[in-house]
Amino acid sequence: QVRLVESGGGLVQAGSSLSLACEAFGNIPDFNALGWYRRAPGKQRDLVATITTENMSNYAASVKGRFAISRDGAKNKATLQMNSLKPEDTAVYYCALLSSLGTVWGQGTQVTVSS
């Protein structure tokens, strides 16, 4: 069984930077991409960014130019660098492993941006 371990997150002021990391452990299946999603209070879970095993990245329009996702293939690890954070970036951020068998989710980590 695969397990995703997330780290990072916390409380920061608007304009600050924060980095989230996610590493997959266990019986890791062949997968297509790693990614980050987020759920703001009262809203559905939405895409933030994904990166494929061929290092092709995709971003939500709201974070493009501010966030950057990278991958360490040797460690099955993905990092999300978040810059110029805004209060509307406040959410629980979830790591995801995307494969043909489905999506595996991390437990989530809280990011709070104060104005």
Side-chain angles (χ1 to χ4, degrees):
Q1 188 173 354
V2 62
R3 181 169 58 97
L4 300 179
V5 178
E6 299 154 339
S7 60
L11 171 62
V12 296
Q13 291 187 332
S16 299
S17 297
L18 207 57
S19 180
L20 304 180
C22 170
E23 189 166 359
F25 295 93
N27 189 17
I28 302 170
D30 290 334
F31 62 92
N32 303 318
L34 292 170
W36 288 93
Y37 291 71
R38 67 186 181 188
R39 177 179 284 144
K43 296 187 177 181
Q44 65 181 20
R45 184 159 52 190
D46 290 326
L47 168 74
V48 177
T50 59
I51 186 165
T52 71
T53 53
E54 297 178 350
N55 289 324
M56 298 290 290
S57 57
N58 180 51
Y59 296 93
S62 59
V63 307
K64 196 171 292 186
R66 299 188 298 123
F67 290 12
I69 190 169
S70 60
R71 190 178 72 89
D72 182 340
K75 295 182 178 180
N76 292 310
K77 182 176 180 179
T79 299
L80 183 69
Q81 178 64 39
M82 305 184 292
N83 301 320
S84 303
L85 282 162
K86 304 175 181 180
E88 50 263 44
D89 294 319
T90 295
V92 178
Y93 284 70
Y94 297 90
C95 178
L97 183 148
L98 311 173
S99 76
S100 60
L101 299 178
T103 301
V104 178
W105 297 99
Q107 78 280 4
T109 185
Q110 178 70 46
V111 172
T112 303
V113 185
S114 64
S115 57

